[in-house]
Amino acid sequence: MTRILLSRMEAHPSDSHTLARYEATGGYAPLRKALGMAPEDIVAEVKAANLRGRGGASFPCGVKWGFLAPAEPRYLVINADESEPGTFKDRQLLERDPHQLLEGIIISSFALGVHHAFVYVRGEYPRPARRIQAAIDEAYAAGYLGADVAGSGYSLDVTVHLGGGAYICGEETALLNSLEGRRGEPRIKPPFPAVEGLYAKPTIVNNVETISNIPWIVEHGGAAYDAIGPEGSRGTKLFSLSGHVRKPGNYELVMGMSWREMIYDIGGGIRDGNALKAWIPGGASAPWFVEEHLDTPVTIDDIASNLSMIGSGAIVVMDETTCMVKAALRVVRFFSHESCGQCTPCREGTTWLQQVLTRLEAGDGRDIDLDLLLDISDNISPGLAWPPGMTTICPLGPSAVSPITSLAKYFKDEVVAHVHEGGCPLA
Amino acid sequence: MTWSRATETRAAAILARYPEKRSAVMPLLYLAMAEEGGDLTEDGMRRVAELTGLSAAQVQAVASFYTMYKRDGVGRYLVSVCTSISCMLCGGDEVLDAVADETGVPDGETGEDGLFSVEHVECIGACGGAPAVQVNYELVEGVTPEQARSLCRWLAEQRPETVVGDDLQERFGGQRSFDWGPEEAEGATGPVPAFGPLGTTGERS
Ligand SMILES: Cc1cc2nc3c(=O)[nH]c(=O)nc-3n(C[C@H](O)[C@H](O)[C@H](O)COP(=O)(O)O)c2cc1C
Ligand code: SF4
Ligand code: FES
């Protein structure tokens, strides 16, 4: 069982979040090693690791770091906004091993020439915010932060920022606007944050899980990380399992297993001995999978070639008792609620999708409703392709289309039955 | 207008955390709420504007964007029930019904006596312990409708000064997303997230 991220909290459940335990288990040794390296050599190790971002877009971390523009000052911002329905992995990393993340922040900041880093934590996560703040306080007291990091002369400050309850602030440019004290509305890209980010300065935005891997990569070398897991999906990945599985929870896994193993072995199978109906493989934004996908591999690229995405690693399992119209409505309601409203297709389209699904679920649907849903969806994301076509500033709008195309592809009969039977045929 | 001396000191410390004053808007809005028992008032927003060098309209534009800034007032205990997809699959809707029924406060409203506000919320990152509930943003997972009723009764009877997640979990929770660390004593003193730099944490009594 390969462990990079969860080893400390599994071995020391009572105090894995403390500095004393962190140091006693080898913590901050990678930082000392990093401070003795040339910053560009650290970037090279992260590139060699082939670590792909864990926040949803799976962009190679080292490649992104390579885009950082030379202007000063530069910033590192950790995305701890974790709000994609089904996702709860970053919360565990923040609560149970905050020093691992913090050491990753310090090493990354040193490598990137950053002297002020931020951790943007969603507002509904006060406990994770308290834990990372406590770790930061301990690190200042121990000399790992401040004017002279571990006696190296390098200086770094870290500020924890609480969000205000808006999923869209997980999108990196909306997050930066929010951190600047503005409405959390995504910016048009380019310019990308690496060139013009926080306060229009070069900025790297990375996910909590991505950066929590950095101490291990520095300690063991990029090649060692690159030796774990299949090509394109190196290292370990945290998967959040929820819904109708017997054993929900976060699992640190080397990718490459089949979905059958993921759901039946790791997740313990379906509750109450029920049959599997569908699952969301990568958070609410991802198109759904069904039985025919059970023997396809769980890797970043295989999920993509099967026309969905690994996203944040959130797997939501639905059994045979689930009304698919209701499930789709719940997901669409989320995106409709969280739309920032800048783009008409997203703002209006998600509202209409919600209205049509609401009447279908209530038994007031019409024969044209499925076509209507697809038509509205086509206006949000032209062509209904995967990866989605975009008419909007950010991918939130197209995300609301995923449950609609999934319904049309796999559960057309169930939608039609809602119309003809005046409500859910399962009820 | 200025706030109490202690709150002004707190505001100065918050401003010092950022390279640009404007970035302090969000934490200062929380501070303004804490000062008024959870409500975001016109006066509060005006003080935030003064401190950050923004116009009152700019501060309002920010406040209105985020759901956690309660401009229409909020009860002493804000009960947030997750009804997003994973919690819905595990009975979150029934938990919401139980909370609304037990408190007599419908979804999205605040009771007349100001004790409870009830709201359904989207995913709060506790899907492995669905259905999940927060009281003043302190989390309790694996809540049945019956336990949700007991939780509301307990809040109404005990009226705790500080709401602590671990305490709620022990009394009213079940399945958790993952094992938690040692018991925490810190919690929320009002319907604002409990976070040290905001000065909104209290100790369990
Ligand atoms: C609507 C939307 C919401 C997002 N939410 C999150 C989030 O909660 N956490 C996160 O790390 N990334 C989120 N992302 C992805 C970020 O924009 C960004 O790609 C990521 O933080 C980069 O970090 P990484 O390269 O380490 O994955 C979201 C993207 C979109 C479009
Ligand atoms: S797609 Fe939606 S959420 Fe994204 S910028 Fe446009 S309106 Fe806002
Ligand atoms: S869906 Fe309820 S906590 Fe995630």
Side-chain angles (χ1 to χ4, degrees):
Chain A
M1 203 166 47
T2 311
R3 280 286 175 271
I4 292 175
L5 297 168
L6 302 187
S7 55
R8 191 169 297 100
M9 65 185 88
E10 283 174 355
H12 306 283
S14 67
D15 63 356
S16 59
H17 61 296
T18 63
L19 178 61
R21 175 59 67 196
Y22 194 68
E23 287 181 319
T25 48
Y28 289 112
L31 172 63
R32 289 205 171 76
K33 179 176 176 185
L35 291 169
M37 292 168 70
E40 55 273 22
D41 291 343
I42 302 173
V43 176
E45 288 299 329
V46 173
K47 269 192 189 143
N50 284 312
L51 163 65
R52 295 174 72 174
R54 305 307 197 206
S58 301
F59 195 81
C61 182
V63 175
K64 183 179 349 192
W65 287 14
F67 294 151
L68 189 64
E72 304 265 356
R74 306 132 165 228
Y75 297 103
L76 172 68
V77 180
I78 303 304
N79 192 338
D81 195 52
E82 185 165 75
S83 312
E84 177 86 9
T87 318
F88 48 98
K89 67 188 178 72
D90 295 340
R91 183 163 71 88
Q92 185 164 356
L93 293 172
L94 288 161
E95 290 186 9
R96 306 304 315 284
D97 205 341
H99 280 286
Q100 177 172 262
L101 169 64
L102 185 58
E103 185 176 18
I105 293 171
I106 305 171
I107 294 172
S108 305
S109 297
F110 176 71
L112 298 167
V114 162
H115 296 283
H116 198 157
F118 296 84
V119 185
Y120 187 108
V121 183
R122 66 177 298 190
E124 300 90 339
Y125 273 12
R127 179 192 174 104
R130 295 199 290 268
R131 284 284 169 92
I132 184 70
Q133 184 65 50
I136 289 167
D137 294 345
E138 282 184 311
Y140 270 109
Y144 294 123
L145 284 175
D148 182 19
V149 172
S152 67
Y154 166 67
S155 74
L156 178 66
D157 288 304
V158 181
T159 300
V160 178
H161 184 87
L162 269 195
Y167 163 72
I168 191 58
C169 291
E171 194 284 329
E172 57 187 8
T173 60
L175 185 152
L176 294 173
N177 273 340
S178 182
L179 191 48
E180 288 182 4
R182 302 172 197 278
R183 293 164 69 85
E185 287 161 352
R187 302 172 181 173
I188 294 169
K189 294 192 262 192
F192 288 91
V195 178
E196 264 183 53
L198 185 63
Y199 313 124
K201 297 294 182 202
T203 303
I204 294 292
V205 181
N206 272 131
N207 171 259
V208 168
E209 182 186 349
T210 309
I211 295 301
S212 293
N213 281 293
I214 298 298
W216 193 97
I217 290 172
V218 165
E219 185 181 354
H220 300 270
Y225 194 89
D226 190 47
I228 301 169
E231 191 179 355
S233 296
R234 300 302 200 204
T236 61
K237 170 83 193 90
L238 284 182
F239 288 92
S240 300
L241 259 78
S242 69
H244 294 153
V245 280
R246 282 210 184 90
K247 297 194 296 178
N250 286 322
Y251 295 91
E252 179 176 13
L253 303 168
V254 175
M255 287 179 265
M257 75 292 278
S258 69
W259 281 105
R260 189 182 300 281
E261 288 169 67
M262 178 69 91
I263 293 169
Y264 288 95
D265 298 342
I266 295 155
I270 311 300
R271 63 158 195 196
D272 303 334
N274 287 349
L276 174 67
K277 191 164 185 181
W279 69 97
I280 310 179
S285 305
W288 305 350
F289 277 175
V290 292
E291 183 129 24
E292 68 188 59
H293 299 102
L294 269 178
D295 294 306
T296 63
V298 182
T299 71
I300 298 173
D301 297 328
D302 284 293
I303 299 173
S305 61
N306 286 306
L307 306 183
S308 188
M309 63 172 177
I310 192 166
S312 54
I315 301 164
V316 182
V317 176
M318 298 179 265
D319 73 9
E320 58 186 326
T321 68
T322 311
C323 169
M324 289 295 132
V325 171
K326 185 173 183 180
L329 173 56
R330 231 20 103 93
V331 174
V332 164
R333 182 189 82 177
F334 171 77
F335 290 114
S336 172
H337 182 255
E338 301 297 337
S339 167
C340 83
Q342 286 190 105
C343 320
T344 311
C346 172
R347 185 187 63 240
E348 302 298 325
T350 54
T351 308
W352 291 348
L353 289 177
Q354 187 179 350
Q355 282 169 357
V356 176
L357 283 168
T358 301
R359 79 175 182 221
L360 267 171
E361 198 215 350
D364 302 326
R366 304 171 197 171
D367 281 324
I368 55 150
D369 278 355
L370 190 55
D371 287 337
L372 186 57
L373 287 169
L374 288 168
D375 193 40
I376 299 165
S377 298
D378 191 67
N379 278 303
I380 303 174
S381 180
L384 301 180
W386 192 264
M390 300 257 293
T391 58
T392 51
I393 294 173
C394 92
L396 184 145
S399 293
V401 168
S402 294
I404 306 300
T405 50
S406 303
L407 269 187
K409 217 162 155 182
Y410 306 116
F411 301 104
K412 199 172 170 178
D413 292 349
E414 196 173 319
V415 178
V416 172
H418 271 78
V419 178
H420 293 161
E421 295 178 32
C424 184
L426 299 172
Chain B
M1 186 205 87
T2 54
W3 288 318
S4 66
R5 173 96 71 92
T7 304
E8 288 292 337
T9 307
R10 179 70 65 186
I14 289 172
L15 282 158
R17 292 164 63 80
Y18 297 93
E20 297 194 6
K21 280 196 291 189
R22 165 166 205 146
S23 286
V25 170
M26 292 178 66
L28 288 176
L29 284 169
Y30 282 131
L31 191 69
M33 284 174 67
E35 180 81 354
E36 298 284 344
D39 299 343
L40 188 55
T41 62
E42 294 291 324
D43 278 350
M45 283 191 274
R46 216 167 293 131
R47 185 67 191 135
V48 173
E50 286 164 14
L51 287 167
T52 52
L54 298 175
S55 68
Q58 284 172 307
V59 171
Q60 269 177 19
V62 173
S64 64
F65 186 83
Y66 302 94
T67 54
M68 290 170 68
Y69 299 122
K70 306 289 186 190
R71 289 169 306 145
D72 299 328
V74 60
R76 178 164 168 189
Y77 301 113
L78 170 64
V79 184
S80 313
V81 181
C82 179
T83 57
S84 247
I85 181 79
S86 302
C87 287
M88 181 276 275
L89 292 171
C90 297
D93 291 8
E94 290 71 34
V95 173
L96 177 64
D97 289 345
V99 167
D101 186 60
E102 187 66 40
T103 58
V105 180
D107 181 18
E109 294 187 22
T110 299
E112 265 169 35
D113 59 359
L115 190 60
F116 287 109
S117 289
V118 175
E119 61 176 8
H120 79 268
V121 289
E122 298 295 349
C123 180
I124 46 180
C127 336
V133 174
Q134 288 186 333
V135 179
N136 292 348
Y137 305 106
E138 292 294 299
L139 178 66
V140 47
E141 298 179 90
V143 185
T144 63
E146 260 326 298
Q147 286 167 313
R149 284 180 186 278
S150 309
L151 165 63
C152 295
R153 275 198 300 271
W154 180 80
L155 288 169
E157 282 161 17
Q158 301 297 321
R159 313 229 167 167
E161 285 291 325
T162 302
V163 177
V164 181
D166 271 351
D167 196 22
L168 300 182
Q169 182 69 35
E170 200 177 303
R171 290 171 193 272
F172 309 105
Q175 163 91 36
R176 300 182 295 186
S177 294
F178 49 85
D179 287 334
W180 284 1
E183 275 211 25
E184 234 187 8
E186 270 183 327
T189 52
V192 180
F195 181 49
L198 300 176
T200 46
T201 56
E203 293 272 318
R204 167 171 27 201
S205 50

